[in-house]
Amino acid sequence: MVVPSRGAHARKPADGGHDRDDALSPVGRETLQDRVYAQLRNSLINGMFDAGDVLRIVDLAERLQTSTMPVREALGRLVSEQALESLPNRSVRVPLISRERLDDLARARILIEGQMVALALPNLTDDDFAVLKQINVDCDLAFEQHGKDIGHATSALNQQFHFHIYHAARSQVLIPIVESLWLQSGAIIRKAAHIHDEEGGLAATNHHWALIGALENRDVEAAMQSLSNDISRSFDLIRGRLDAEPNGNASGGHHA
């Protein structure tokens, strides 16, 4: 959580309170560069930006109530992490969703996160299962709020669910790799949540419940398969939209 500077006041978003603007609050003076980076990074992981959104340094600095220098440095770090991409006009954007990028990320996430589930399984307790079940209940309630911008809320709950399991793997090496994959997948998960809200169908947490059941039964193969099904579902929703769009682009981005 980023603490605003004393006397700083939040600026009302121009779009009437969109969740992405509300999520960016003024940052304090101490460790300013790290705070700006951490907040933008967390915003990307939690799907607060759409694919194709253009992030302008001056606009972000104004919303964060800071100077342009720490914002520029934070964006540069995020570009190097492949979470953002540079544009010719010196601005950056959230990468567009292409079929190649979609398939590459899905493959990497299933491979790495499947191993995280296998490593975590022996360490999970009844208390952990109770936490996972409550997160699922909260996520189901969030998805019932049709007609609202639920992408941020459901993405945050989805992250809590998965990383509660992954941290039980106790791997200091693999956790940063998973975080990097999620950093690059945030806009995809956000888009998948919106498509699911539009189209309905199987409950978004269906594979989460199956994963919990497999973990409780200590069935590592079933747990890894449930995890694969869960990741694949989000990516398959985007693939369906890509196939339906004449230009093969499901991003629908705009200026942030």
Side-chain angles (χ1 to χ4, degrees):
M1 178 66 68
V2 177
V3 180
S5 301
R6 186 176 301 233
H9 298 283
R11 179 175 177 265
K12 185 178 180 180
D15 62 359
H18 198 285
D19 65 320
R20 291 173 291 168
D21 286 347
D22 291 343
L24 294 174
S25 57
V27 297
R29 295 176 182 274
E30 298 178 1
T31 62
L32 189 59
Q33 295 176 3
D34 289 338
R35 286 174 182 260
V36 170
Y37 167 76
Q39 188 166 169
L40 290 174
R41 185 176 186 273
N42 191 57
S43 297
L44 288 163
I45 288 177
N46 283 332
M48 295 179 195
F49 296 103
D50 289 315
D53 272 350
V54 176
L55 308 184
R56 301 191 184 284
I57 294 173
V58 174
D59 294 340
L60 290 173
E62 183 179 0
R63 284 162 56 186
L64 292 166
Q65 296 190 6
T66 184
S67 63
T68 58
M69 183 60 70
V71 174
R72 181 178 291 107
E73 293 182 355
L75 293 178
R77 290 173 66 180
L78 291 166
V79 168
S80 70
E81 293 178 273
Q82 301 184 58
L84 299 172
E85 59 185 10
S86 298
L87 296 176
N89 60 358
R90 295 187 179 181
S91 60
V92 300
R93 74 177 177 188
V94 181
L96 297 174
I97 300 174
S98 67
R99 187 62 178 262
E100 181 180 9
R101 179 177 177 82
L102 200 69
D103 292 344
D104 201 19
L105 279 171
R107 183 168 50 245
R109 285 194 54 190
I110 290 171
L111 179 65
I112 301 298
E113 293 175 46
Q115 289 303 306
M116 293 294 277
V117 166
L119 291 171
L121 191 150
N123 303 322
L124 293 168
T125 66
D126 289 342
D127 289 341
D128 291 313
F129 297 136
V131 170
L132 293 172
K133 290 174 182 178
Q134 185 58 56
I135 294 172
N136 254 10
V137 169
D138 293 341
C139 196
D140 281 331
L141 291 173
F143 269 109
E144 290 177 3
Q145 306 302 309
H146 299 287
K148 298 182 179 180
D149 190 354
I150 61 172
H152 167 43
T154 56
S155 292
L157 289 166
N158 184 55
Q159 182 194 16
Q160 290 175 31
F161 179 87
H162 282 268
F163 278 84
H164 189 89
I165 297 172
Y166 301 157
H167 282 295
R170 302 172 186 172
S171 174
Q172 296 182 357
V173 173
L174 290 177
I175 279 291
I177 297 175
V178 175
E179 289 178 344
S180 175
L181 292 172
W182 276 64
L183 184 60
Q184 299 177 62
S185 302
I188 293 172
I189 302 305
R190 175 184 176 85
K191 185 67 177 179
H194 283 293
I195 294 175
H196 178 273
D197 192 45
E198 295 170 4
E199 300 180 355
L202 191 68
T205 57
N206 179 74
H207 296 306
H208 284 189
W209 289 115
L211 177 54
I212 293 173
L215 291 170
E216 285 184 311
N217 291 330
R218 306 298 174 180
D219 187 336
V220 64
E221 290 187 5
M224 292 175 69
Q225 185 60 56
S226 295
L227 185 279
S228 176
N229 293 341
D230 180 45
I231 294 174
S232 297
R233 174 172 168 75
S234 294
F235 284 80
D236 286 344
L237 285 172
I238 304 293
R239 289 189 185 96
R241 185 59 58 91
L242 285 171
D243 292 341
E245 293 293 330
N247 60 356
N249 179 10
S251 303
H254 53 276
H255 297 308

